[in-house]
Amino acid sequence: MDAISATVPAIPRLAADEVAYVLPRQDSAKSLAASSYVPTLTETPYEEKKFEFDSMLPPSAAASMPALVVPELLGGEVDAAAPELSFARKVVLIAMMMWVQFIASANTNAVVVTIPSMSADLGIDQLSAQWVASAYALTFGCGLLFAGRLADLHGRKGLFLLGLGIAVVFSVAAGFVKTLIPLCIVRALVGLGNAIATPAGFGIIGVTFPRDPERTYAFAIFGLGNPLGSAIGMVLGGLMAAINAHGWAYLYFLLAAFGVVPLVLGAFIIPRDVRARTEGENRRIDWLGGFLVTAGLLLFIFSITQSGVAADGWRTPYIPVLLIVGIALLVAFVFWERHVERNLAFPPIAKLSIFSRDHWHMSAIMASGFFTFITIGGFVYLVSLYDQDYRGYSALQTAIHILPASVTGIGAAVAVMYLVPRFKAPRIIMIGAFLSGMTCLLYAVEPTGTIFWAVEFIALLCLPFGADLTVGVGSILVSNLCDEDEQSVGGALFQTSLQIALALGTCVAALVSDTVQAKTGDVLTGFRHAFGQNTAWCWAVVVIVGLSCRHMGLAKDVGHGKAIH
């Protein structure tokens, strides 16, 4: 009996890794199941699927039967109801997500620059004023992972708008607060709001742009927000601080105004969450896991940050105690998540098996970001002290001095769009890490009295490539290695590793610098040793990625069914 071949065009509303099957529909599901027409699939590119039937339908019956769309072979979930976005809407959506990254970065860099004027206006020392910036970083880093899981389970758009709303409200409040502790609390709530919005935004990009080259462009532009926030934020902070004695407070009103734009646009531009609930799916929240990871990260990052603020550093009794408790909670989180994934019905905050995906490439990506940002965190801390305390620069002069790094960072982030489709992902990450390490090495060996343009300018041009290439390429790889219902938590894992690294890098740099200065009595020698150890972290990335990811190809070819889960 001859076979009938039917060619069916793909349905553009489905994600790239989902297949739509169009079968003739009989009058009922029962008659379809009882029929003798068994389709076989001949593999073709995803633009069309070809079906051959073992028996022939009567022409009259075939003509009268409407099409039946069966997602994922009658099982699983699919975004079949998701509307195809127009080009203009996609552009606005990507720009909006980039702008949120810009706000998150500016909230750190701009506030750091205003610390000297803030401390003078409030009548407090600069070490205490440092907590206004640290409180934001603390809650931002601690809230990412739990917020990412909530976004994956209960809707990314809602969490995105909620987080932005919290950040905007408390940014306005921060402009009116003129005492230290309430200001730190309000800034911590701003950090929490951005921590809720950021992983949701990552997940929205991951599910809205499933195919290349749109996917590469989307994540590259998303990562562009970090250097833009750093460059423009530091300048804005310096300008606000220079207005008058209270100028530092005006910065918070400006940051709130920045947040209103994506908050309003997001309600109309972001597509609704349409992931269907599969039969028997359990969406209970792992509250214990959320508590363990949030509290553990909170105590861990707090103890590291406070060690650089407290007068006696690590000799302050409560600091090492809090560090030990934080580490214990994180270890407990790992064992609990392992138990949840293997033995319980509800989903864990983060599947530990995610780290072993694609021959442990996921772990290598996380490690590359972690070690690179230890270098970045340490360098930003050291160069600020080097310029202001050793050279006597003002806050605005310091911001202008390191501006070449921020401007180059914009170029590095844009370069991701060109590099990712053409070069193997590990090579891009390794080159970026090598250049950032070279920055610290040049500062470590710079001869005394050398003019800025001879060494430091070149070093600053090299600095951002490690951070921006790692974030740009790493975001694409992480998204590709995560399932649709893990997009936000995958992005949160990556972002959390970077936030911990920034805090740890600052701590290690301060520890090395202070220790060497105490032993030698020479401030410059302390800075040189600290810059030198910063180099080692970045160059470790070259070794780790070079060995563990040597068989990895283009970023677009990782995951989407090619990864070994």
Side-chain angles (χ1 to χ4, degrees):
M1 188 176 291
D2 296 334
I4 297 177
S5 297
T7 301
V8 183
I11 300 175
R13 293 181 178 179
L14 299 181
D17 57 341
E18 295 165 341
V19 181
Y21 299 85
V22 182
L23 306 179
R25 177 159 58 191
Q26 306 224 6
D27 293 337
S28 67
K30 180 178 179 181
S31 62
L32 175 61
S35 70
S36 60
Y37 309 116
V38 180
T40 59
L41 174 63
T42 302
E43 189 62 31
T44 62
Y46 70 82
E47 285 81 3
E48 61 179 20
K49 295 295 179 184
K50 189 175 184 180
F51 297 87
E52 297 180 353
F53 293 84
D54 289 339
S55 57
M56 180 179 293
L57 291 171
S60 59
S64 63
M65 292 180 182
L68 169 67
V69 178
V70 186
E72 295 279 320
L73 287 179
L74 302 176
E77 47 185 65
V78 67
D79 280 344
E84 180 69 21
L85 303 186
S86 66
F87 176 77
R89 190 173 175 184
K90 288 179 179 179
V91 170
V92 175
L93 178 63
I94 296 173
M96 184 172 59
M97 295 305 166
M98 181 272 290
W99 189 249
V100 173
Q101 284 292 94
F102 167 88
I103 295 170
S105 178
N107 261 286
T108 299
N109 294 280
V111 173
V112 168
V113 176
T114 64
I115 286 175
S117 62
M118 181 197 308
S119 63
D121 187 34
L122 299 181
I124 57 178
D125 60 89
Q126 290 194 26
L127 283 178
S128 298
Q130 179 69 41
W131 264 111
V132 176
S134 298
Y136 171 87
L138 185 66
T139 53
F140 181 75
C142 296
L144 287 167
L145 192 54
F146 193 36
R149 173 43 80 196
L150 290 177
D152 283 332
L153 288 177
H154 297 288
R156 300 179 180 100
K157 180 176 181 178
L159 267 291
F160 179 83
L161 297 177
L162 173 64
L164 275 180
I166 293 172
V168 168
V169 169
F170 287 103
S171 289
V172 172
F176 293 104
V177 178
K178 296 296 186 292
T179 52
L180 179 62
I181 294 179
L183 182 57
C184 289
I185 294 173
V186 172
R187 285 286 298 161
L189 292 171
V190 175
L192 179 62
N194 283 329
I196 295 172
T198 298
F202 186 99
I204 289 169
I205 291 177
V207 298
T208 306
F209 302 95
R211 301 182 183 90
D212 276 306
E214 282 186 343
R215 188 179 185 84
T216 295
Y217 296 154
F219 276 113
I221 296 171
F222 179 69
L224 182 61
N226 284 315
L228 278 175
S230 175
I232 299 176
M234 294 188 74
V235 174
L236 287 176
L239 290 174
M240 293 294 106
I243 292 177
N244 56 42
H246 307 294
W248 60 271
Y250 304 154
L251 174 66
Y252 301 128
F253 297 130
L254 185 61
L255 292 173
F258 286 163
V260 170
V261 177
L263 180 62
V264 174
L265 287 178
F268 302 98
I269 297 298
I270 301 173
R272 62 189 179 90
D273 297 288
V274 293
R275 191 173 72 91
R277 184 187 294 271
T278 57
E279 184 177 356
E281 181 184 11
N282 193 324
R283 294 193 183 184
R284 283 175 53 197
I285 298 173
D286 179 11
W287 291 107
L288 179 57
F291 166 76
L292 290 173
V293 69
T294 304
L297 288 172
L298 181 69
L299 295 178
F300 181 82
I301 298 176
F302 174 83
S303 59
I304 290 176
T305 304
Q306 186 67 4
S307 68
V309 175
D312 294 330
W314 287 105
R315 291 188 294 274
T316 306
Y318 68 86
I319 292 179
V321 172
L322 292 179
L323 178 64
I324 293 171
V325 174
I327 293 174
L329 289 174
L330 292 176
V331 171
F333 168 74
V334 171
F335 281 101
W336 171 250
E337 294 301 285
R338 183 173 180 268
H339 173 69
V340 171
E341 185 175 358
R342 294 186 175 187
N343 303 311
L344 301 182
F346 58 86
I349 296 296
K351 296 177 181 178
L352 298 184
S353 57
I354 198 173
F355 293 100
S356 62
R357 291 184 183 173
D358 201 29
H359 296 297
W360 294 89
H361 284 161
M362 180 70 90
S363 293
I365 296 164
M366 297 287 181
S368 67
F370 183 79
F371 288 123
T372 298
F373 272 74
I374 288 180
T375 294
I376 300 300
F379 179 84
V380 171
Y381 170 80
L382 289 170
V383 79
S384 297
L385 293 181
Y386 183 66
D387 285 345
Q388 295 188 56
D389 292 352
Y390 180 73
R391 290 178 162 173
Y393 289 174
S394 67
L396 184 57
Q397 286 176 317
T398 301
I400 295 173
H401 178 250
I402 63 177
L403 191 59
S406 300
V407 174
T408 307
I410 298 172
V414 172
V416 170
M417 290 184 279
Y418 174 83
L419 297 173
V420 168
R422 294 170 174 82
F423 299 95
K424 292 182 177 181
R427 294 180 181 176
I428 300 174
I429 294 174
M430 290 165 65
I431 290 172
F434 177 82
L435 290 174
S436 290
M438 182 59 70
T439 294
C440 297
L441 182 63
L442 289 174
Y443 265 83
V445 301
E446 177 188 11
T448 304
T450 305
I451 62 172
F452 169 75
W453 303 101
V455 175
E456 292 180 17
F457 177 71
I458 297 172
L460 291 169
L461 294 181
C462 295
L463 175 69
F465 285 95
D468 294 311
L469 294 184
T470 299
V471 169
V473 179
S475 295
I476 297 169
L477 294 174
V478 168
S479 182
N480 287 355
L481 288 171
C482 289
D483 296 330
E484 182 188 328
D485 62 351
E486 299 172 325
Q487 288 294 313
S488 293
V489 80
L493 277 171
F494 191 46
Q495 291 283 342
T496 300
S497 69
L498 304 185
Q499 294 301 315
I500 295 174
L502 287 172
L504 191 59
T506 300
C507 175
V508 173
L511 185 62
V512 172
S513 177
D514 293 346
T515 301
V516 174
Q517 287 180 26
K519 288 183 178 179
T520 63
D522 184 8
V523 175
L524 183 58
T525 301
F527 281 128
R528 290 187 186 279
H529 279 76
F531 280 122
Q533 65 84 29
N534 253 15
T535 301
W537 295 106
C538 250
W539 285 1
V541 173
V542 178
V543 177
I544 293 171
V545 175
L547 293 177
S548 61
C549 300
R550 61 187 181 277
H551 299 303
M552 184 185 289
L554 299 177
K556 69 182 181 65
D557 295 327
V558 177
H560 292 311
K562 296 181 176 64
I564 299 173
H565 289 200

